[in-house]
Amino acid sequence: FKNKGVQLLLDAVIDYLPSPLDIDEVKGFKPGDEENEITRDHSDDDPFSALAFKVVSDPHVGKLTYFRVYSGTLNKGDKVTNTTTGKEERLGRILRMHSNSREDIDFICAGDIVAGVGLKNAKTGDTLSASSDLIQLESMTFPEPVISVAIEPKSKADEEKLSEGLQKLAEEDPTFRVQSDEETGQTIISGMGELHLDILVDRLKREFKVEANIGKPQVAYREALKKKTDVEAKYIRQSGGRGQYGHVVMEFEPIEEGYEFVDLIKSGRIPKEYIPSVNAGVEAAMETGVLAGYPLVNVRATLKDGTYHDVDSSEMAFKIAGSMALKDGAKKAGVKLLEPVMTVEVVTPEDFMGDVVGDLSSRRGKIAEMEQRGSAKVVNAKVPLSEMFGYATDLRSRTQGRATFTMQFDSYEAVPDSITKEITASIRGVEVEV
């Protein structure tokens, strides 16, 4: 299928898509002040601005940063400021990339798409700007990973190569995360789905010559409060010398999204310097959750009252009191487990339609719509990620390899109680009432 339709596609881009001169000037803001909007014309005369949209590790030249120039001009060797990080960097080489070759160039202007060598700190979504006239362009937003697996090298000798390879892949792909689990000592990789992680493990083998074993996929569940609750928490310790004293009265309630901390302390009931510690304690406790050790999300924490001791109170005591308040409040309010739900689109020949729909329903899927696309049927459904492991193989065997599917993250939704019990029992080893 080499070189089929490429010219037609490129001609269509030229004929039908707007030229940069047909659309509005590019909008950005002053670094650190999002209210202060700045615009740049698509012109060589305006100050330089560009957006890095891809980072690739190249065995010959090191790190290649692909960027698109929105305004201004730049010469090889010039310095630019990365306004996302605030660091100044020198552009050592500028490469015009062709499909299987690259060409060194000395000069770029508005509209060019090139790769730069020497931008050590640039990541996908960063803005590069003229140091004399700074602008930060709208960055790309990347979804949080929804699936995690443990990874380990097949031999001790590959340990260093594995961590180096994972680090380079994480630099290239903002939706891929690598972390160490302190409790188990394992390396955990997280991404947007089974296929995503399979491809990255395959790249480790091809590009970095590292053979790795991966564990069973783990779903990134979240925890959330069921209702609003008031709670009082006291942390008092007396140990001969100076003791510890922190006392808070708080209210916790579920909200649509994110985390909010509201301070309602009047007339110095708790000194101002201890209030951030209460917030830090609540956030630390949210990280480890209450029900099954998953992060607690979508909470508004309101600090309503409390007391302190002139001698024994400290930032640490109030941090622990804040943490205790969240744990106690969550138990009192009740906690539900949230799971990532994916939007799944299956394209299948009509003969297998019944099998495909039945299979999705058995995976706790909700069929949203079915439509005709040419001679094939298209099924759109929302299915929990935990039920989608191994789906690619199942779908192939049910449809004689003729159906295809795509899947992307949609939202977090509550897990049914019976499944919550199974998940908590498998993590804690005992069944928990929910």
Side-chain angles (χ1 to χ4, degrees), residues 255-399:
I255 56 174
E256 276 299 306
E257 199 174 320
Y259 166 68
E260 292 173 20
F261 181 78
V262 183
D263 169 18
L264 296 183
I265 295 297
K266 300 275 191 300
S267 60
R269 297 277 295 168
I270 297 175
K272 281 270 178 265
E273 63 266 26
Y274 296 146
I275 287 167
S277 302
V278 178
N279 183 21
V282 171
E283 286 188 302
M286 284 170 67
E287 282 294 308
T288 53
V290 178
L291 187 65
Y294 295 108
L296 188 72
V297 294
N298 306 344
V299 177
R300 180 183 292 126
T302 306
L303 180 57
K304 295 166 82 175
D305 199 4
T307 56
Y308 74 103
H309 188 283
D310 287 333
V311 178
D312 291 351
S313 281
S314 66
E315 289 182 359
M316 183 50 73
F318 274 99
K319 184 175 179 181
I320 294 169
S323 177
M324 287 165 63
L326 179 94
K327 299 263 183 196
D328 296 348
K331 283 173 188 162
K332 201 170 157 189
V335 176
K336 60 187 176 185
L337 213 54
L338 304 177
E339 63 183 347
V341 173
M342 314 300 279
T343 300
V344 179
E345 181 185 270
V346 184
V347 181
T348 174
E350 198 160 349
D351 308 356
F352 305 108
M353 182 78 165
D355 274 355
V356 167
V357 170
D359 183 40
L360 287 172
S361 300
S362 73
R363 294 171 185 268
R364 293 196 284 129
K366 293 177 187 154
I367 308 298
E369 58 177 353
M370 297 183 236
E371 59 187 31
Q372 193 82 24
R373 188 180 296 167
S375 60
K377 286 279 188 186
V378 179
V379 182
N380 284 299
K382 288 191 168 40
V383 191
L385 175 65
S386 58
E387 304 287 345
M388 289 299 288
F389 295 138
Y391 184 63
T393 315
D394 273 8
L395 184 66
R396 277 200 295 270
S397 62
R398 281 174 192 277
T399 62

Side-chain angles (χ1 to χ4, degrees), residues 110-332:
D112 281 344
I113 296 176
V114 293
V117 180
L119 303 170
K120 293 188 179 68
N121 300 304
K123 299 193 300 295
T124 304
D126 285 2
T127 301
L128 306 173
S129 166
S131 304
S132 57
D133 201 337
L134 298 177
I135 183 173
Q136 190 167 339
L137 304 174
E138 186 183 345
S139 183
M140 305 171 196
T141 52
F142 300 104
E144 287 294 307
V146 292
I147 178 174
S148 302
V149 297
I151 186 167
E152 58 184 33
K154 285 191 177 172
S155 68
K156 264 277 188 251
D158 280 348
E159 253 176 36
E160 203 169 305
K161 273 161 60 181
L162 176 70
S163 78
E164 194 181 304
L166 289 174
Q167 192 182 337
K168 284 185 176 169
L169 290 173
E171 273 180 11
E172 289 181 21
D173 184 348
T175 59
F176 173 61
R177 307 275 168 84
V178 183
Q179 71 211 56
S180 290
D181 187 318
E182 288 170 17
E183 289 176 20
T184 62
Q186 289 177 306
T187 300
I188 308 293
I189 57 173
S190 310
M192 299 310 298
E194 255 185 315
L195 182 63
H196 184 199
L197 294 183
D198 284 348
I199 289 166
L200 289 164
V201 170
D202 184 56
R203 282 188 63 193
L204 275 175
K205 192 171 163 183
R206 280 187 294 110
E207 294 172 29
F208 301 97
K209 308 287 185 283
V210 179
E211 295 277 352
N213 294 321
I214 60 171
K216 189 172 176 288
Q218 302 292 321
V219 176
Y221 291 103
R222 297 282 183 266
E223 297 180 10
L225 299 180
K226 286 183 177 175
K227 61 179 193 282
K228 189 170 171 177
T229 184
D230 285 295
V231 69
E232 182 175 0
K234 268 185 185 174
Y235 176 68
I236 304 171
R237 286 284 179 280
Q238 218 50 56
S239 54
R242 182 182 164 186
Q244 295 278 6
Y245 182 95
H247 169 221
V248 293
V249 177
M250 298 191 74
E251 176 186 274
F252 295 101
E253 61 180 310
I255 56 174
E256 276 299 306
E257 199 174 320
Y259 166 68
E260 292 173 20
F261 181 78
V262 183
D263 169 18
L264 296 183
I265 295 297
K266 300 275 191 300
S267 60
R269 297 277 295 168
I270 297 175
K272 281 270 178 265
E273 63 266 26
Y274 296 146
I275 287 167
S277 302
V278 178
N279 183 21
V282 171
E283 286 188 302
M286 284 170 67
E287 282 294 308
T288 53
V290 178
L291 187 65
Y294 295 108
L296 188 72
V297 294
N298 306 344
V299 177
R300 180 183 292 126
T302 306
L303 180 57
K304 295 166 82 175
D305 199 4
T307 56
Y308 74 103
H309 188 283
D310 287 333
V311 178
D312 291 351
S313 281
S314 66
E315 289 182 359
M316 183 50 73
F318 274 99
K319 184 175 179 181
I320 294 169
S323 177
M324 287 165 63
L326 179 94
K327 299 263 183 196
D328 296 348
K331 283 173 188 162
K332 201 170 157 189

